[in-house]
Amino acid sequence: MGNVLIVVEANTDGSLRKATLNAITAGQQLAKASGGEVHAIALAKDATALANAVKEYGVKVVHAASAAHLEHALAENWAPAIAAAAQAINAEWIGAAATTVGRDVVPRVAAKLKAVMASEILSVEGSGADVALTRPMWAGAVIATVKLAGSVKCFTVRATEFAAAEKSGAGEVKVFAAEAPARQLTKFVGFKEVKSARPALTEAKVVIAGGRGTKGDFKPIEGLADELGAAVGASRAVCDAGWQPNDLQIGQTGKVVAPALYVAAGISGAIQHVAGMKSSKTIVAINKDPDAPIFQIADYGLVADLFKAIPEMQAAIKAAK
Ligand SMILES: Cc1cc2nc3c(=O)[nH]c(=O)nc-3n(C[C@H](O)[C@H](O)[C@H](O)COP(=O)(O)OP(=O)(O)OC[C@H]3O[C@@H](n4cnc5c(N)ncnc54)[C@H](O)[C@@H]3O)c2cc1C
């Protein structure tokens, strides 16, 4: 009892995805609280390199599941393999980072094992029979503390709320033989990656985000972002208008970010937007309206026209370099 199984995720180039390290930290806290050990499962066509990449991060055993049907993160193919590995190690907790893959795969594992599930956990509280998890509800307006019943429990982890696991000695890699499901109803057709020279939104240290106040002109936002080596983000209003692609959307129905610096320009600060960025270390808001709700959560607020203020900021930063 008490064992934890974390699903490992890879980037498109096969390297270890950083969010997995945050999920491992949550797994370590759960293992400590419930008296078990942390295991991980890497699934790929050949999972050896990925398993080796993760074994040093405080994981006792990494189960390397290599098979052709596991090449792509299809929940239908991954879930039976994860469920089988969880049963083999008598896992009490099965989790992954709350990425697109984690959100897709883990609930399916929970359904297979008839397990309870908590999504996007923020922290682990208590220990033994009193282990509880906190998770956001109603776009983060409420933080619920939940205790999960049953012998098997599933969870996804909000990566921004847990530090990345650090290297702490090598764990063991074991081959895990995963059988292909009898019927494969989903077929992988292709993956179109949006390539950008800027850092990935969820991993950037600085994010410059624009809202409807930009009126679709993102030149000032992009200029400041490039000056700071930052990622560009957007509110839903911007993405819905087709001004920027959907993968830049931050918020309840977009990405969750927690950079060291978040600049919100021409964004009003609707609760659904704030749900995706309020954990940022320093929040700077630029808005023409002094009553805009974004100022309530901003560390620094500038009541100004973004088209004037941002180029001035960019010029000042450039001059100071
Ligand atoms: C179920 C649900 C889920 C949602 N999910 C999300 C989500 O994930 N992410 C998200 O962002 N939204 C989400 N929304 C939408 C959200 O409620 C808001 O409508 C949206 O965030 C507003 O975007 P905005 O701040 O860019 O636009 P607005 O609210 O229109 O604000 C524009 C701001 O720009 C300012 N402004 C205008 N001109 C300038 C200028 N020249 N210089 C400076 N400031 C200026 C204005 O004063 C205003 O404050 C969701 C809504 C629902 C119902």
Side-chain angles (χ1 to χ4, degrees):
M1 281 301 280
N3 284 344
V4 180
L5 182 66
I6 298 292
V7 181
V8 177
E9 221 186 298
N11 295 307
T12 43
D13 64 359
S15 60
L16 176 63
R17 190 158 176 196
K18 199 181 151 275
T20 296
L21 298 179
N22 307 94
I24 288 175
T25 299
Q28 287 165 341
Q29 293 180 10
L30 273 168
K32 195 170 171 219
S34 24
E37 279 157 350
V38 182
H39 293 237
I41 179 164
L43 309 102
K45 193 172 177 190
D46 181 353
T48 320
L50 188 58
N52 278 323
V54 84
K55 72 177 181 187
E56 291 176 8
Y57 290 92
V59 176
K60 187 162 193 295
V61 181
V62 187
H63 304 271
S66 304
H69 73 283
L70 301 175
E71 180 174 5
H72 307 290
L74 292 178
E76 193 179 87
N77 292 354
W78 275 29
I82 296 163
Q87 285 175 322
I89 63 157
N90 208 6
E92 180 179 357
W93 301 94
I94 306 156
T99 56
T100 310
V101 168
R103 286 176 183 167
D104 191 23
V105 169
V106 181
R108 201 166 176 123
V109 175
K112 280 209 154 309
L113 297 175
K114 299 201 176 3
V116 279
M117 161 110 202
S119 300
E120 278 205 78
I121 64 162
L122 308 174
S123 68
V124 176
E125 314 282 329
S127 63
D130 289 326
V131 175
L133 308 168
T134 61
R135 56 175 302 261
M137 292 172 72
W138 299 331
V142 171
I143 305 297
T145 303
V146 292
K147 269 175 85 173
L148 304 187
S151 54
V152 184
K153 298 134 186 164
C154 292
F155 61 97
T156 55
V157 175
R158 183 172 283 190
T160 53
E161 298 298 315
F162 293 86
E166 290 185 8
K167 288 191 177 175
S168 57
E172 198 186 337
V173 173
K174 279 190 185 168
V175 171
F176 183 78
E179 281 174 32
R183 286 196 319 150
Q184 290 181 36
L185 300 173
T186 313
K187 189 170 161 240
F188 178 84
V189 177
F191 183 78
K192 261 196 200 164
E193 193 178 10
V194 181
K195 294 242 189 259
S196 166
R198 300 195 180 95
L201 193 49
T202 49
E203 283 164 26
K205 291 196 171 63
V206 181
V207 172
I208 316 293
R212 201 180 338 241
T214 61
K215 297 181 182 66
D217 178 1
F218 259 54
K219 276 193 219 76
I221 306 280
E222 289 167 351
L224 183 59
D226 292 341
E227 197 64 54
L228 293 168
V232 168
S235 70
R236 178 162 161 177
V238 165
C239 299
D240 282 356
W243 294 340
Q244 290 293 325
N246 286 326
D247 62 316
L248 293 195
Q249 185 183 318
I250 291 165
Q252 183 191 344
T253 42
K255 290 185 173 145
V256 177
V257 300
L261 174 64
Y262 187 90
V263 179
I267 292 178
S268 60
I271 182 176
Q272 297 90 352
H273 183 80
V274 170
M277 47 64 80
K278 71 174 169 202
S279 298
S280 305
K281 305 280 172 308
T282 302
I283 298 171
V284 175
I286 305 166
N287 199 303
K288 276 203 305 200
D289 175 7
D291 296 323
I294 191 80
F295 288 125
Q296 290 167 18
I297 59 147
D299 299 287
Y300 299 94
L302 192 57
V303 179
D305 184 330
L306 70 92
F307 291 102
K308 190 168 179 295
I310 294 186
E312 283 175 9
M313 283 166 88
Q314 190 185 337
I317 292 165
K318 197 171 190 161
K321 274 184 180 172

